[in-house]
């Protein structure tokens, strides 16, 4: 009984604290770190003579030896709005988004899917060096991106292209980065899918996992708070990256420093070949949030409305209350980890097919659209043709363009080029004058 | 809560009072009579703890930056931080224990002056501190992070090398974290042993994209730190902890800058070039005097100041003149930064060299406790190496 009560205190805390949080709503724009966080003011001592005085915890004494049992059998419940057939379950949770917006959701997810197919294939044909698809996770990207303001800063991991696509990043620039051609904003320096866009507030992707969590996200969120920017920062990562030390650091800093940040975990079941049963033993990532003092929720990541609702509410409160939120979006990685991976080596085709056919964010939304009368087979056919054509055109153009000048190998290491580096740049130029025929100079700008 | 913090703060300050303060306590100051027999007056040399291996040599009072004040190194750092926070409303200082003033007192008074949202403690997590600092800098605000000892910078190595250093390059200059500065106490302190004495500059020298700067004195520290903070690239500023209290000189109150990537020839000479940075500059200065006195040898003494990008031209110009080079640092010999200097100089100045380049460094061991006097590249080892070079 006491165990259940203790467990309820841990699991129930996310709900209970939510109400407390509402009651202790801060004025928007308040800069004060002067007040301690609402959550620390909860506990009221009874008038026992020997109440605990420890600075480290706000709790009562107990005279029975009991270990708190982590609850992984019935873990934190998964919030959803639509069933697997795209029907709204609880009408009061329907966000009632206008047709135009929902169509944008659908078109973004399907365009991403089409682009993924074509670019994956292009890697197989040796036209680009590497690619990562987003199959099955399109709902997590689009639902969350739609719930943010356009100026909210995004830090991703590498499987969030749909966020950028929702913000209207053109196909030409996706392709330019993958091909590393002259149009690439990143100047050809990184592997494919390491997108970045200052204009659309999407910080450039880097390969090391979870580094974006403390860094980018928590520091940037703190600065946004100080600047009274009324902006939230969202930070995406997978359930595997959540094992990194940087994730722990980021969560703890966000909570102690009271940062307006949404931590968005895409729990897609696998980190390359490592299933979640080998990644963690607790109740996923959502259960870690309360350990840091962070309001947390678990959602059905394949339900674009559930993702939307959770992100929308988290954003509203993060900015208003200057505290972090953790959203764990449960989903499934239908594709391989990357073009360097063949997932049939570690999972069954049946498992993959289940998700592809029975619980896909795109089909669920399509069913919803159809039942609203906003989409039909004719439109589906026309859109498939149109989106494929758009992608193919961008793809062909990207392939024809030159790569950037080799001089760009040397710039941007520092804001100004150091003397020694300039000498190295000159030495390469001289080398190419003599040995240029052995280098693919024809494909590069001068 | 505040009272306990204050007491803890006082204890920490006592502990961090520096080499001489600690030494005074151990020699029996303040202990009740009869509790311990005090060490005898003329003392067995083996029982008494050592005096410092160097003598700090202050530079003449700078006249071109306005009014000066006597400051030690940690006060010069505080002054630089104070100037920065005054000038730049986005600037924030954070790290472990910086709020009460820091374990070396570098941030005393700043929280009261600038507010809790600008000078604040973080949880105990170096990868978090640096990661967080990068994030602040990405938004364009000025982030001044403190790592409590350079020995503890390694958890942040990934954030520094894979993220901070590469931010601008990998994004094609769409994003950068140039307004990040990381400060950290550095170098031997007499009793620091493995984990309070390290000089890790060589690990970072191998990382294009960051700057690494090490001052030899309070005046240098303030000017170089201000330059690091204002520099548009992420910088690591190592502060020789043994100099925090021991180094005292006149330092301008107003802000001023000392340029990065410029070595300083602090004494001209014709026979040998001596290069060092941080505390070791004072060691080689003394070696230069010894060489002049005992051997009639004229030494050119160079303080490198910035480790990367380093001032190749000044060092090479000197070696072309003298024909002999000695580089000295506390960090272990193998892979230490003297290797880089040596390699470059022999490439650029091969025909000018009269003798092999000499490196006088720590041994290839972790930094020992009781054996520190034997470990460090002191003036006798440097003098001996110099003598061998002259007689080559």
């Amino acid at each position: 009984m006491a165990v259940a009560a203790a467990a309820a205190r841990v699991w129930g805390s996310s709900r209970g604290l939510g109400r407390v949080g509402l009651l202790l709503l801060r004025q928007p724009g308040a800069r004060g770190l002067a007040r301690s966080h609402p959550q620390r003011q909860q506990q009221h001592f009874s008038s026992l003579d020997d109440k605990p005085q420890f600075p480290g915890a706000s709790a009562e004494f107990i005279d029975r030896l009991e270990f708190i049992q982590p609850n992984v059998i019935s873990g934190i419940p998964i919030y959803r709005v639509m069933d697997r057939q795209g029907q709204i379950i609880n009408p009061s949770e329907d966000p009632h988004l206008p047709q135009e917006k929902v169509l944008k959701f659908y078109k973004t997810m399907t365009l991403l899917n089409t682009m993924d197919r074509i670019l994956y294939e292009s890697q197989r044909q040796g036209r680009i060096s590497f690619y990562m698809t987003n199959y099955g996770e399109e709902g997590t990207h689009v639902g969350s991106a739609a719930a943010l303001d356009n100026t909210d800063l995004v830090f991703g991991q590498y499987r969030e292209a749909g966020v950028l696509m929702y913000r209207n990043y053109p196909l030409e620039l996706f392709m330019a980065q993958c091909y590393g051609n002259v149009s690439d904003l990143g100047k050809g320096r990184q592997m494919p899918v390491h997108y970045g866009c200052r204009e659309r507030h999407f910080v450039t992707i880097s390969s090391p996992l979870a580094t974006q969590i403390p860094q980018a996200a928590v520091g940037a969120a703190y600065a946004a708070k100080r600047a009274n920017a009324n902006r939230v920062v969202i930070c995406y990562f997978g359930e595997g990256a959540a094992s990194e030390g940087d994730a722990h650091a980021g969560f703890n800093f966000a909570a102690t420093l009271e940062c307006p940040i949404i931590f968005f975990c895409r729990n897609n079941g696998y980190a390359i070949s490592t299933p979640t049963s080998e990644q963690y033993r607790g109740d996923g990532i959502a259960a870690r949030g309360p350990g840091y003092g962070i309001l947390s929720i678990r959602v059905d990541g394949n339900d674009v409305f559930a993702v939307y609702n959770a992100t929308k509410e988290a954003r509203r409160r993060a900015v208003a209350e200057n505290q972090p939120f953790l959203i764990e979006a449960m989903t499934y990685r239908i594709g391989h980890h990357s073009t360097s991976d063949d997932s049939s080596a570690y999972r069954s085709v049946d498992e993959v097919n289940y998700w592809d056919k029975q619980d896909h964010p795109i089909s669920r939304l399509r069913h919803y659209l159809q039942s609203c009368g906003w989409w039909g087979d004719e439109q589906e056919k026309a859109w498939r043709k149109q989106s494929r054509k758009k992608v193919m055109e961008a793809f062909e153009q990207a392939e024809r363009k030159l790569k950037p000048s080799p001089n760009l190998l040397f710039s941007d290491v520092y804001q100004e080029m150091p003397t020694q580096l300039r000498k190295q740049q000159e030495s390469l130029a001289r080398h190419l004058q003599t040995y240029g025929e052995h280098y693919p100079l024809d494909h590069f700008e001068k | 809560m505040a009272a306990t913090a204050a007491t803890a703060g006082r204890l920490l300050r006592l502990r961090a009072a520096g080499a001489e303060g600690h030494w005074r306590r151990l020699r029996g100051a303040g202990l009740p009579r009869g509790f311990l027999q005090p060490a005898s007056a003329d003392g067995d040399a083996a029982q008494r703890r050592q005096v410092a291996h160097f003598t700090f040599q202050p530079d003449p009072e700078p006249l071109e930056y306005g009014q000066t004040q006597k400051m030690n190194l940690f006060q010069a750092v505080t002054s630089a931080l104070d100037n920065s926070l005054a000038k730049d409303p986005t600037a924030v200082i954070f790290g472990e224990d910086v709020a009460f003033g820091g374990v070396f007192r570098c941030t005393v008074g700043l929280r009261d002056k600038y507010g809790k949202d600008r000078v604040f403690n973080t949880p105990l997590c170096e990868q978090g501190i640096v990661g967080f600092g990068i994030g602040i800098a990405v938004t364009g605000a000025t982030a001044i992070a403190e790592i409590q000892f350079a020995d503890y910078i390694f958890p942040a190595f990934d954030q520094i090398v894979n993220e901070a250093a590469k931010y601008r390059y990998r994004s094609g200059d769409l994003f950068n974290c140039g307004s990040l500065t990381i400060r950290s106490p550095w170098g031997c302190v007499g009793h620091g042993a493995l984990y309070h004495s390290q000089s890790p500059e060589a690990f970072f020298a191998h990382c294009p994209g960051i700057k690494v700067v090490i001052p030899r004195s309070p005046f240098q520290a303030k000017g170089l730190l201000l330059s690091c903070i204002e520099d548009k690239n992420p910088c690591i500023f190592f502060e020789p902890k043994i100099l925090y209290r021991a180094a005292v000189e006149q330092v301008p109150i107003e802000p001023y800058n000392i340029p990065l990537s410029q070595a300083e020839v602090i004494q001209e000479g014709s026979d040998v070039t001596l290069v060092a940075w941080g505390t070791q500059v004072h060691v080689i200065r003394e070696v230069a005097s010894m060489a002049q006195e005992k051997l009639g040898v004229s030494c050119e003494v160079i303080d490198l100041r910035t480790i990367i990008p380093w001032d190749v031209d000044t060092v090479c110009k000197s070696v072309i003149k003298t024909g002999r080079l000695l580089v000295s640092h506390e960090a272990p010999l193998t892979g230490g930064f003297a290797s880089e200097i040596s390699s470059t100089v022999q490439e650029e100045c091969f025909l000018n060299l009269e003798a092999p380049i000499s490196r006088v460094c720590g041994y290839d061991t972790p930094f020992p406790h009781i054996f520190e006097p034997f470990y460090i590249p002191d003036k006798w080892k440097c003098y001996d190496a110099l003598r061998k070079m002259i007689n080559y």
Side-chain angles (χ1 to χ4, degrees):
Chain A
M1 191 65 95
V3 175
R9 256 195 300 268
V10 176
W11 302 137
S13 61
S14 51
R15 303 264 181 87
L17 288 173
R19 271 179 242 122
V20 173
L22 268 172
L23 287 172
L24 295 165
L25 196 69
R26 260 172 237 210
Q27 297 309 311
R31 281 183 29 176
L33 280 177
R35 281 156 279 173
S36 60
H37 197 277
Q39 291 178 14
R40 277 198 239 120
Q41 293 161 9
Q42 281 189 83
Q43 211 78 9
H44 297 292
F45 290 116
S46 63
S47 56
L48 289 171
D49 282 341
D50 61 333
K51 52 194 179 185
Q53 302 290 342
F54 302 113
S58 167
E60 292 170 16
F61 283 122
I62 186 174
D63 58 18
R64 263 181 329 286
L65 175 66
E66 278 168 19
F67 288 96
I68 296 172
Q69 173 87 1
N71 191 347
V72 296
I73 306 300
S74 53
I76 294 174
I78 303 166
Y79 171 71
R80 65 174 181 170
V81 175
M82 292 187 280
D83 63 19
R84 292 195 184 100
Q85 288 72 44
Q87 304 310 304
I88 303 287
I89 298 168
N90 178 353
S92 65
E93 296 294 311
D94 185 346
H96 295 294
L97 296 174
Q99 177 178 2
E100 196 186 319
K101 193 159 178 130
V102 186
L103 279 176
K104 182 172 179 180
F105 286 13
Y106 185 73
K107 287 187 172 178
T108 305
M109 292 200 286
T110 47
L111 185 63
L112 175 61
N113 190 277
T114 304
M115 183 179 84
D116 274 352
R117 286 171 201 276
I118 287 167
L119 285 176
Y120 185 90
E121 206 35 54
S122 80
Q123 191 279 341
R124 280 314 192 223
Q125 295 171 13
R127 299 159 103 140
I128 61 175
S129 62
F130 175 82
Y131 193 70
M132 299 177 99
T133 58
N134 300 274
Y135 302 146
E137 300 186 48
E138 300 89 345
T140 62
H141 306 175
V142 169
S144 54
L148 302 170
D149 282 5
N150 281 333
T151 54
D152 288 336
L153 201 50
V154 175
F155 287 87
Q157 182 171 295
Y158 51 57
R159 220 183 290 279
E160 295 90 14
V163 175
L164 208 40
M165 199 167 262
Y166 190 83
R167 288 187 173 181
N168 304 313
Y169 195 64
L171 289 170
E172 180 202 346
L173 290 181
F174 280 111
M175 307 277 177
Q177 199 283 326
C178 289
Y179 274 93
N181 67 29
V182 284
S183 301
D184 177 22
L185 299 180
K187 299 180 190 170
R189 291 180 182 143
Q190 293 211 83
M191 284 168 78
V193 311
H194 289 63
Y195 310 114
C197 183
R198 186 169 193 87
E199 206 182 302
R200 292 170 178 83
H201 311 283
F202 188 96
V203 179
T204 305
I205 301 298
S206 76
S207 305
L209 295 179
T211 48
Q212 74 275 16
I213 301 179
Q215 160 201 126
V218 183
Y222 188 85
K225 176 172 78 164
R226 276 212 75 234
N228 280 323
N230 283 324
R231 268 168 116 190
V232 86
V233 176
I234 190 165
C235 182
Y236 295 90
F237 52 95
E239 86 286 351
S243 295
E244 283 278 1
D246 270 342
H248 160 72
F251 296 156
N252 198 23
F253 274 55
T256 53
L257 300 174
E258 300 173 356
C259 301
I261 176 173
I262 300 171
F263 291 116
F264 194 104
C265 177
R266 295 175 293 96
N267 187 331
N268 63 13
Y270 289 90
I272 308 189
S273 71
T274 306
T276 53
S277 57
E278 290 171 14
Q279 195 65 246
Y280 53 75
R281 277 307 144 82
D283 178 22
I285 312 313
R288 299 179 197 172
Y292 293 99
I294 296 177
L295 281 150
S296 312
I297 191 169
R298 173 173 282 156
V299 305
D300 178 346
N302 291 352
D303 174 348
V304 72
F305 293 138
V307 173
Y308 176 85
N309 284 351
T311 309
K312 194 102 185 138
E313 177 66 358
R315 190 206 181 274
R316 184 186 71 77
R317 292 188 59 187
V319 173
E321 299 164 33
N322 281 322
Q323 62 170 320
F325 282 78
L326 172 60
I327 298 174
E328 183 182 19
M330 307 308 294
T331 179
Y332 187 83
R333 193 196 77 207
I334 290 175
H336 307 298
H337 165 71
S338 73
T339 47
S340 308
D341 177 48
D342 174 7
S343 61
S344 66
Y346 51 83
R347 59 183 184 176
S348 74
V349 169
D350 286 344
E351 178 184 303
V352 178
N353 275 335
Y354 166 78
W355 290 97
D356 198 23
K357 304 281 183 287
Q358 315 274 15
D359 193 345
H360 199 293
I362 291 176
S363 11
R364 283 165 77 177
L365 188 63
R366 185 169 57 244
H367 289 133
Y368 173 86
L369 283 172
Q370 284 167 339
S371 64
C372 288
W374 293 345
W375 197 253
D377 287 343
E378 285 299 306
Q379 285 136 308
E380 177 72 17
K381 214 163 127 188
W383 170 243
R384 281 196 195 194
K385 196 164 160 204
Q386 185 195 0
S387 52
R388 193 179 160 76
K389 184 159 177 280
K390 273 172 37 153
V391 174
M392 286 308 300
E393 272 168 11
F395 169 78
E396 276 150 19
Q397 280 186 17
E399 193 158 75
R400 279 197 290 269
K401 287 185 184 167
L402 287 177
K403 311 300 183 195
S405 159
N407 274 329
L408 290 179
L409 195 170
F410 295 96
S411 53
D412 303 322
V413 179
Y414 296 90
Q415 193 200 41
E416 68 293 339
M417 193 182 292
T419 320
Q420 291 306 103
L421 195 51
R422 187 166 299 287
K423 287 190 184 159
Q424 292 176 14
Q425 185 183 49
E426 286 158 8
S427 130
L428 177 63
R430 280 193 305 272
H431 178 78
L432 290 174
Q433 273 171 2
T434 311
Y435 295 92
E437 65 186 291
H438 303 290
Y439 296 81
L441 284 169
D442 291 339
H443 301 292
F444 289 78
E445 260 193 353
K446 293 282 160 274
Chain B
M1 193 66 134
T4 354
T7 317
R10 273 194 291 278
L11 284 172
L12 276 168
R13 277 194 288 275
L14 280 175
R15 209 177 301 141
E20 339 84 69
H22 197 175
W23 188 38
R24 270 199 293 278
R25 284 208 315 286
L26 276 182
R27 284 187 71 197
L31 287 174
R33 286 200 171 276
F35 180 64
L36 280 178
Q37 292 304 316
S40 53
D42 35 77
D44 194 23
Q47 302 284 341
R48 231 182 306 141
R49 289 172 65 238
Q50 83 264 19
V51 294
H53 64 288
F54 69 96
T55 307
F56 171 70
Q57 305 198 27
D59 285 323
E61 176 179 357
L63 299 169
E64 63 268 49
Y65 300 111
Q67 195 192 347
T68 66
Q69 188 179 306
K70 194 161 100 167
M71 294 187 207
N72 61 29
L73 194 118
F74 75 70
Q75 289 164 335
V77 169
T78 315
S79 178
L81 297 174
D82 192 351
N83 291 155
S84 293
L85 264 58
K87 273 198 303 184
D88 176 355
T90 72
V92 290
I93 298 173
F94 51 92
E96 294 152 29
D97 304 298
V98 299
F100 86 100
V103 293
F104 289 109
R105 301 164 81 166
C106 294
T107 52
V108 168
L110 297 178
R111 184 175 168 94
D112 286 342
K113 189 167 177 185
Y114 294 103
K116 300 175 191 192
D117 60 321
R118 297 187 71 188
V119 180
F120 52 92
N121 292 339
T122 64
L124 210 169
C125 179
E126 287 76 13
Q127 66 191 107
I129 290 168
V130 174
F132 175 79
I134 292 172
I136 290 181
V138 166
T139 69
T142 299
I144 306 168
E146 177 178 303
I147 299 293
Q148 198 157 82
F149 285 86
D151 313 59
Y152 308 139
I153 202 165
F154 301 108
F157 200 71
D158 185 46
Q159 286 285 354
I160 294 169
V161 168
N162 267 336
E163 299 290 316
K166 298 175 167 62
Y167 232 90
R168 189 189 294 276
Y169 185 81
R170 74 186 185 203
S171 70
D173 201 16
L174 291 178
F175 298 95
N176 72 78
C177 58
S179 54
L180 170 67
T181 302
I182 301 166
R183 312 173 22 249
S184 191
W186 167 102
C188 79
V189 70
H191 57 279
L194 286 77
Y195 302 112
H196 298 81
S197 312
Q198 289 180 51
S199 312
E201 65 274 11
F203 293 105
F204 298 100
H206 195 54
C207 178
I210 51 170
K211 298 191 178 181
V212 177
V213 178
I214 307 176
R216 69 170 184 274
S217 73
F219 170 75
Q220 293 288 318
K222 176 168 168 167
L224 289 167
L225 178 55
L226 283 168
S227 294
C228 286
I229 291 170
E230 289 158 28
D231 194 270
K232 305 288 188 222
N233 303 285
C235 295
I236 302 178
F237 187 75
F238 286 126
E239 302 167 355
K241 63 178 85 69
I242 203 172
L243 298 180
Y244 272 142
R245 288 164 63 93
V248 184
E249 60 188 358
Q250 295 295 122
V251 179
I253 297 172
E254 292 304 310
Y256 58 97
N257 294 92
I258 294 178
L260 303 184
S261 294
Q262 273 189 34
E264 186 181 357
V265 178
I266 58 179
Q267 177 183 309
E268 287 186 11
S270 52
D271 301 328
V272 193
T273 302
L274 308 178
V275 176
W277 47 90
T279 317
Q280 199 66 8
V281 173
H282 304 290
V283 174
I284 62 171
R285 251 173 158 163
E286 200 172 338
V287 173
S289 303
M290 287 160 72
Q292 183 65 68
E293 197 188 302
K294 299 181 203 271
L295 305 170
V297 164
S298 154
C299 297
E300 181 141 293
V301 179
I302 298 180
D303 176 2
L304 195 63
R305 303 200 292 196
T306 299
I307 305 300
I308 48 155
W310 68 283
D311 185 355
V312 177
D313 288 347
T314 297
V315 175
C316 286
K317 191 164 145 214
S318 175
V319 177
I320 288 167
K321 180 171 70 165
T322 64
R324 291 177 181 83
L325 175 63
L326 183 151
V327 188
S328 184
H329 57 62
E330 291 167 23
L333 177 72
T334 300
F337 197 65
S339 329
E340 162 64 26
I341 298 175
S342 175
S343 186
T344 301
V345 168
Q346 66 87 30
E347 277 170 17
E348 303 289 323
C349 313
F350 186 73
L351 293 175
N352 303 96
L353 288 169
E354 299 290 334
I357 297 171
S358 182
R359 297 179 292 160
V360 185
C361 305
Y363 299 116
D364 288 332
T365 71
F367 202 109
H369 181 236
I370 212 69
F371 307 114
E372 177 164 334
F374 302 98
Y375 174 89
I376 51 176
D378 61 21
K379 61 192 177 198
W380 301 111
K381 291 181 188 170
C382 293
Y383 175 75
D384 191 53
L386 188 153
R387 203 175 47 76
K388 288 183 169 124
M389 267 204 302
I390 294 295
N391 295 330
Y392 186 78

